[in-house]
């Protein structure tokens, strides 16, 4: 039952909170009410069956908790009328001039609402991911390549600014959407990234949440078809998700891109993604998501890792590093250079990146170094790099992969896929 409760809460938290914010117009009240509802669920559900519609149950109980709180706090009694059953429907069917009819999805409306331009974009994204997308503080911190306390403080400051400046949770008008679009795109991209390669836990991929991110990206693309970066984001997610069937073997072991059976990749998603990439690249200059989608398209076009146009990917990462520099871009560019020009050159770039300390909390850098050291025959150094990666990795599937790779250096496998290249 504990596992079932945890699964339900993780799956429904973001969706229910978004619904409550739309009903109450106040994030703090919505969060406290949902916490009360979750506590009641912990007390009640073990003694009975889990409700058939747990999200509806949590929403109803949380809404009632909010009514009780507002009744107790006289300063907020003016809001009570908005919460009565006969007025809730009127509140959720806001007149068109508020922008609700312009955004044909309640969750996406709340993402745009939370990405308020009065906040710095990192704060917009962190607040939305944590409060409305349902990610934990640890997951958000991992996506931002920073520490949990830093993200927690960022979210607290954002909430305080919203409260002190009396910033309303108002659905933006259509004319306001382009200014908020970059933050919303970042939210959807990071939401997909976390669900496609989970921070921690037993599951490498949470398919239903990948599907939700893609669904929202589709809605956004249809809402803003002339926005090249919205088109590019959808292309990137489709081309990445096309590889999902080949990412794990029958026993649940992770299969890296270079070892995947590409006949398992979804051809319909690849075809759709390619077409969207062509459209997105017509914008000049191309944006960050357009370049990432182009990289994904090059991978999709290659029948094998060896046949991949690595020089083109290297060039695309070079462009990306100029317009949207980040340590993750530098990491991926170094790996592409290693594939194009040899592991020794790529390793030098990774060592330079390691010296900056920017990826000190991520297992991806030592894992990449370990692979290049393995390919160079520097076994002892590769083992040490795998050990470093294992101290940082949080996901069980990736930990298993790194452990198996490390073991192959002390107990060489006969599997030709694992021969040093």
């Amino acid at each position: 039952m504990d596992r079932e409760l945890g699964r339900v809460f993780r799956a429904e938290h973001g969706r229910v909170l978004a619904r409550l914010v739309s009903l109450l117009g106040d994030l703090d009240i919505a969060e406290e009410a949902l916490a009360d509802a979750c506590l009641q669920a912990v007390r009640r559900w073990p003694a009975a069956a889990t409700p058939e519609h747990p999200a509806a149950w949590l929403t109803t109980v949380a809404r009632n908790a909010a009514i009780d709180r507002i009744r107790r706090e006289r300063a907020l009694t003016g809001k009570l009328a908005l919460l009565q059953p006969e007025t809730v429907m009127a509140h959720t069917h806001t007149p068109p001039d508020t922008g609700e009819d312009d955004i044909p999805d309640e969750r996406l409306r709340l993402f745009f609402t939370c990405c308020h331009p009065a906040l710095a974009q990192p704060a917009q994204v962190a607040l939305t991911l944590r409060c409305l997308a349902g990610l934990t503080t640890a997951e958000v911190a991992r996506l931002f390549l920073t520490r949990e306390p830093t993200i927690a403080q960022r979210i607290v400051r954002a909430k305080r600014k919203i409260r002190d400046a009396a910033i309303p949770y108002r659905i933006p008008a259509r004319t306001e959407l382009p200014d908020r679009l970059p933050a919303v795109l970042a939210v959807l991209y990071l939401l997909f990234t976390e669900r496609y390669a989970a921070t921690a836990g037993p599951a490498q991929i949470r398919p239903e949440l990948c599907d939700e991110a893609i669904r929202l990206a589709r809605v956004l693309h249809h809402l803003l078809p002339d926005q090249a970066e919205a088109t590019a984001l959808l292309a990137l997610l489709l081309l990445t998700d096309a590889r999902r069937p080949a990412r794990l073997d029958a026993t649940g072991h992770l299969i890296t891109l270079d070892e995947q059976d590409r006949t398992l990749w979804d051809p319909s998603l690849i075809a759709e993604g390619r077409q969207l990439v062509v459209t997105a690249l017509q914008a000049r200059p191309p944006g960050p998501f357009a370049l990432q989608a182009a990289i994904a398209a090059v991978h999709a076009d290659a029948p094998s890792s060896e046949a991949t146009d690595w020089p083109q990917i290297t060039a695309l990462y070079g462009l990306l590093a100029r317009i949207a520099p980040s340590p993750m871009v530098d990491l991926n560019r170094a790996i592409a250079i290693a594939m194009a020009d040899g592991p020794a050159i790529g390793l030098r770039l990774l060592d330079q990146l390691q010296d900056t300390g920017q990826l000190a909390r991520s297992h991806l850098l030592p894992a990449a170094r370990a692979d290049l050291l393995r390919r160079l025959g520097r076994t002892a150094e590769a083992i040490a790099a795998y050990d470093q990666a294992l101290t940082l990795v949080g996901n069980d599937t990736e930990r298993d992969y790194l452990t198996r790779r490390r073991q192959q250096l002390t107990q060489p496998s006969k599997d030709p896929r694992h021969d040093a290249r």
Side-chain angles (χ1 to χ4, degrees):
M1 176 55 72
D2 288 343
R3 287 194 296 270
E4 174 65 12
L5 286 172
R7 184 194 65 78
V8 171
F9 290 163
R10 283 192 300 271
E12 304 295 352
H13 183 276
R15 185 179 298 107
V16 172
L17 185 60
R19 177 64 174 159
L20 290 171
V21 172
S22 70
L23 290 173
L24 305 174
D26 188 301
L27 179 58
D28 287 334
I29 292 177
E31 285 188 310
E32 291 184 17
L34 181 53
D36 288 342
C38 289
L39 181 59
Q40 291 193 47
V42 169
R43 291 170 176 168
R44 296 182 186 180
W45 291 3
T50 301
E52 184 178 358
H53 302 290
W57 190 97
L58 290 170
T59 301
T60 299
V61 173
R63 176 185 166 279
N64 291 338
I67 292 175
D68 290 341
R69 173 184 168 177
I70 291 174
R71 281 174 174 156
R72 289 193 304 267
E73 299 180 13
R74 293 183 179 180
L76 297 176
T77 54
K79 293 186 177 181
L80 185 56
L82 293 177
L83 303 178
Q84 297 306 319
E86 63 271 17
T87 61
V88 167
M89 291 305 295
H91 182 69
T92 57
H93 288 81
T94 314
D97 60 0
T98 66
E100 181 167 342
D101 286 354
D102 291 333
I103 308 176
D105 183 272
E106 181 177 61
R107 203 172 192 197
L108 193 59
R109 283 199 295 271
L110 267 295
F111 284 6
F112 272 104
T113 299
C114 206
C115 292
H116 196 285
L119 304 173
Q121 184 170 316
Q124 296 175 35
V125 175
L127 181 65
T128 305
L129 286 172
R130 177 66 187 91
C131 296
L132 297 181
L135 271 61
T136 65
T137 303
E139 290 169 341
V140 177
R142 179 255 193 177
L143 293 170
F144 276 83
L145 302 175
T146 190
R147 299 169 60 249
E148 285 187 53
T150 301
I151 290 298
Q153 292 170 6
R154 184 177 297 174
I155 292 171
V156 168
R157 286 195 297 268
K159 289 182 179 180
R160 185 181 300 126
K161 183 170 185 177
I162 289 171
R163 184 188 66 243
D164 294 346
I167 297 172
Y169 281 93
R170 177 184 60 80
I171 299 168
R174 191 180 187 89
T175 56
E176 300 175 86
L177 300 186
D179 289 339
R180 303 188 186 206
L181 180 62
V184 173
L185 291 174
V187 167
L188 295 181
Y189 172 71
L190 292 174
L191 177 62
F192 178 87
T193 298
E194 171 58 30
R195 297 329 189 189
Y196 194 75
T199 297
Q204 169 71 4
I205 304 171
R206 296 180 63 185
E208 73 283 0
L209 296 174
C210 291
D211 293 341
E212 173 69 358
I214 291 173
R215 185 188 70 79
L216 291 173
R218 286 191 185 279
V219 174
L220 189 57
H221 169 59
H222 289 297
L223 176 66
L224 300 170
D226 296 330
Q227 293 288 335
E229 281 292 85
T231 302
L233 176 66
L234 178 57
L236 175 60
L237 299 192
L238 293 175
L239 289 167
T240 303
D241 199 53
R243 304 196 293 263
R244 191 200 306 180
R247 292 197 72 207
L248 302 175
D249 66 16
T251 60
H253 288 153
L254 180 66
I255 305 175
T256 54
L257 177 64
D258 58 327
E259 296 176 346
Q260 289 175 10
D261 179 356
R262 301 188 178 209
T263 64
L264 297 177
W265 291 2
D266 190 322
S268 63
L269 293 182
I270 291 174
E272 184 181 2
R274 281 198 192 107
Q275 185 175 2
L276 291 167
V277 169
V278 172
T279 301
L281 288 174
Q282 291 175 357
R284 290 291 182 270
F289 285 119
L291 291 173
Q292 291 179 72
I295 291 168
V298 175
H299 281 299
D301 287 340
S304 66
S305 177
E306 293 75 16
T308 301
D309 190 344
W310 290 108
Q312 184 179 1
I313 289 179
T314 299
L316 289 168
Y317 272 123
L319 291 174
L320 185 60
R322 286 201 289 273
I323 68 171
S326 79
M328 287 304 300
V329 171
D330 292 338
L331 172 64
N332 287 314
R333 179 172 176 270
I335 293 171
I337 289 173
M339 299 300 294
D341 300 327
I345 297 176
L347 183 62
R348 284 199 294 271
L349 295 174
L350 291 182
D351 288 343
Q352 293 171 11
L353 180 58
Q354 182 173 250
D355 290 342
T356 68
Q358 292 178 295
L359 291 175
R361 303 183 64 81
S362 173
H363 71 283
L364 297 175
L365 177 54
R369 290 188 70 254
D371 186 61
L372 296 187
L373 288 164
R374 175 186 64 83
R375 290 166 56 191
L376 289 167
R378 294 161 60 175
T379 302
E381 293 172 90
I383 291 173
Y386 278 124
D387 287 339
Q388 182 184 2
L390 285 166
T391 65
L392 296 171
V393 69
N395 181 274
D396 293 350
T397 304
E398 291 184 273
R399 181 181 295 106
D400 170 74
Y401 170 79
L402 294 171
T403 300
R404 287 185 291 114
R405 277 295 200 187
R406 185 191 186 284
Q407 290 174 344
Q408 287 158 10
L409 294 176
T410 56
Q411 303 171 3
S413 171
K414 295 181 180 180
D415 187 339
R417 295 182 305 169
H418 301 307
D419 291 343
R421 283 184 281 277

